[in-house]
């Protein structure tokens, strides 16, 4: 691999790390919003509205090139609302469900019925399920070596060590754990479906569609839970102050708009299996953020788990002969 390829590969992994690090910090901002009286569904809706409106405006201002890869004809750029086929549009709907409304609802609902430890442990194991889904559906096992599979397992064990933090006792809750597993599968499916999507459309276009359909598919929830539908009325303004607005802007602009674009871009470059392995770093960045901001203690279990994750990531990055990440 040449120097240029090595530098590009390093950039892809750096962007993946920064994206996951930002997602790992969002628990503080979400917790503050929950304490202010907003529900998980309302927080999701507000952050996605902010992200979608800003991304839509950005796309229109720069006359975003035709989303189809190689689809700019004669040097003319144009803005597109829809995909080039109804099948691709349906794919965007599923991405909006798997990476938006259903994912956030199942993850947040799981916290109501099971412990945060169980939820984190189950959700952060999604790289293993993504790898299995790829092997099953795309026969991706042809390009996954035994060393890569071993690396993913080691990283998963390291993630479990970090999350459990020496307390190897799990309180089983069938409903809560099932919801957490549902969120895990949602993110694995989201990563899986990014393969055909990124082959035909740009990351910006895909992200904009994910936000739109994520918002559209959350509407039935508010119909079933009308007590939370005040999010769409002027009365919501009484809950907002500068601190809440800043937290929402961080979640909407940074953690949603920017991070979803960068994550989809990284998947298009590294492939879903390698990129999704970075999810194992989520609890690490969460604990580091808590140590820095909340002065929580760093334990030896955290250090051991981090070492296992790093080892697993290094092994998982080793491709088979003749197989290279996409550039």
């Amino acid at each position: 691999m040449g120097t240029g390829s090595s530098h590009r590969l390093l950039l892809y992994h750096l962007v993946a790390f920064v994206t996951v690090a930002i997602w790992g910090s969002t628990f503080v901002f979400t917790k503050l919003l929950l304490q202010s009286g907003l529900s998980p569904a309302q927080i999701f809706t507000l952050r996605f509205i902010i992200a979608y409106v800003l991304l839509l405006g950005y796309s229109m201002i720069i006359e975003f090139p035709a989303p189809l890869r190689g689809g700019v004809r004669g040097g003319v750029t144009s803005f597109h609302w829809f995909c080039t086929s109804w099948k691709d549009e349906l794919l965007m709907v599923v991405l909006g469900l798997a990476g938006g409304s259903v994912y956030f609802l199942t993850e947040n609902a799981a916290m109501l019925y099971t412990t945060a430890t169980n939820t984190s442990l189950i959700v952060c194991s999604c790289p293993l399920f993504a790898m299995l889904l790829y092997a099953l559906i795309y026969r991706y096992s042809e390009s996954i070596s035994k060393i890569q599979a071993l690396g993913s397992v080691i990283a998963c064990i390291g993630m479990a060590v970090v999350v459990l933090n020496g307390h190897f006792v799990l309180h089983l809750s069938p409903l809560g754990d099932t919801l957490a597993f549902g969120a895990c599968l949602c993110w694995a499916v989201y990563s899986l479906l990014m393969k055909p999507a990124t082959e035909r459309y740009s990351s910006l276009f895909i992200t904009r569609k994910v936000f739109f359909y994520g918002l559209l598919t959350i509407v039935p929830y508010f119909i079933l839970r009308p007590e939370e539908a005040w999010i769409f009325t002027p009365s919501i303004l009484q809950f907002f102050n500068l601190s809440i607005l800043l937290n929402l802007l961080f979640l909407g602009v940074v953690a949603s708009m920017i991070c979803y674009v960068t994550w989809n871009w990284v998947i298009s470059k590294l492939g879903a299996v390698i990129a999704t392995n970075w999810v194992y770093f989520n609890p690490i960045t969460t604990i580091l953020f808590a140590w820095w901001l909340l002065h929580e203690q760093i334990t030896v279990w955290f250090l051991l788990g981090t070492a296992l994750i790093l080892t697993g990531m290094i092994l998982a990055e080793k491709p088979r002969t003749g197989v290279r990440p996409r550039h």
Side-chain angles (χ1 to χ4, degrees), residues 98 103 125-131 133-134 182-194 272 276:
Y103 170 76
S125 64
C126 84
L128 277 181
F129 291 97
M131 183 175 64
L133 285 174
Y134 259 69
C184 170
L185 285 181
C186 278
W187 198 253
V189 169
Y190 178 81
S191 301
L192 175 79
L193 295 180
M194 271 295 147
T276 308

Side-chain angles (χ1 to χ4, degrees), residues 15-298:
V15 172
F17 169 74
V18 173
T19 300
V20 171
I22 292 173
W23 280 339
S25 70
T26 58
F27 81 101
V28 172
F29 305 97
T30 301
K31 184 177 181 179
L32 178 61
L33 293 175
L34 290 170
Q35 292 174 345
S36 71
L38 294 174
S39 73
Q42 291 167 339
I43 295 171
F44 160 78
T45 303
L46 288 170
R47 65 185 282 185
F48 263 46
I49 287 176
I50 293 171
Y52 178 72
V53 170
L54 292 178
L55 195 58
L56 178 64
Y58 174 75
S59 300
M60 289 180 169
I61 289 173
I62 66 171
E63 291 185 331
F64 183 56
L68 192 64
R69 291 197 182 278
V72 180
R73 300 175 181 176
V76 179
T77 61
S78 60
F79 176 84
H80 288 252
W81 286 102
F82 300 105
C83 297
T84 56
S85 70
W86 69 267
K87 290 184 179 180
D88 287 349
E89 196 68 27
L90 182 60
L91 173 63
M92 299 300 170
V93 175
V94 178
L95 285 172
L97 285 164
S101 56
V102 176
Y103 170 76
F104 278 96
L105 286 177
T106 51
E107 183 182 48
N108 291 326
M111 299 286 287
L112 300 175
Y113 302 101
T114 189
T115 63
T117 298
N118 283 31
T119 303
S120 179
L121 189 62
I122 295 172
V123 172
C124 288
S125 64
C126 84
L128 277 181
F129 291 97
M131 183 175 64
L132 292 175
L133 285 174
Y134 259 69
L136 178 65
I137 297 178
Y138 290 124
R139 295 183 179 179
Y140 200 72
S141 56
E142 295 178 3
S143 59
I144 297 179
S145 66
K146 293 181 179 179
I147 292 180
Q148 284 180 300
L150 176 62
S152 185
V153 172
I154 291 175
C156 187
I157 293 173
M159 177 274 300
V161 171
V162 170
V163 172
L164 294 174
N165 195 28
H167 304 286
F168 300 102
V169 178
L170 292 177
H171 301 281
L172 299 181
S173 171
L175 178 58
D177 294 343
T178 299
L179 288 169
F181 183 70
C184 170
L185 285 181
C186 278
W187 198 253
V189 169
Y190 178 81
S191 301
L192 175 79
L193 295 180
M194 271 295 147
K195 176 180 172 62
T198 55
E199 288 175 351
R200 297 192 291 275
Y201 299 92
S202 70
S203 297
L204 280 174
F205 180 79
I206 295 170
T207 306
R208 178 160 56 85
K209 301 296 287 186
V210 168
F211 290 153
F212 175 77
Y213 285 117
L215 289 169
L216 189 63
T217 53
I218 197 68
V219 172
Y221 174 86
F222 287 113
I223 294 176
L224 295 174
R225 300 290 298 272
E227 67 274 13
E228 296 185 36
W230 56 262
I231 189 175
F232 300 108
T233 68
S235 62
I236 193 175
L237 295 177
Q238 66 180 311
F239 287 86
F240 289 163
N241 55 40
L242 181 59
S243 175
I244 293 176
L245 288 174
L246 289 176
N247 279 277
L248 279 173
L249 284 174
F250 175 83
L251 292 175
V253 178
V254 181
S256 294
M257 185 184 76
I258 296 176
C259 284
Y260 266 77
V261 171
T262 57
W263 185 252
N264 295 340
W265 178 76
V266 164
I267 287 180
S268 72
K269 299 299 182 181
L270 292 176
V273 173
I274 294 177
T276 308
N277 275 332
W278 280 98
V279 173
Y280 291 135
F281 271 82
N282 201 306
I284 293 179
T285 56
T286 298
I287 292 175
L288 286 175
F289 193 82
W291 167 75
W292 172 54
L293 190 64
L294 304 177
H295 308 291
E296 294 188 3
Q297 186 178 4
I298 296 294

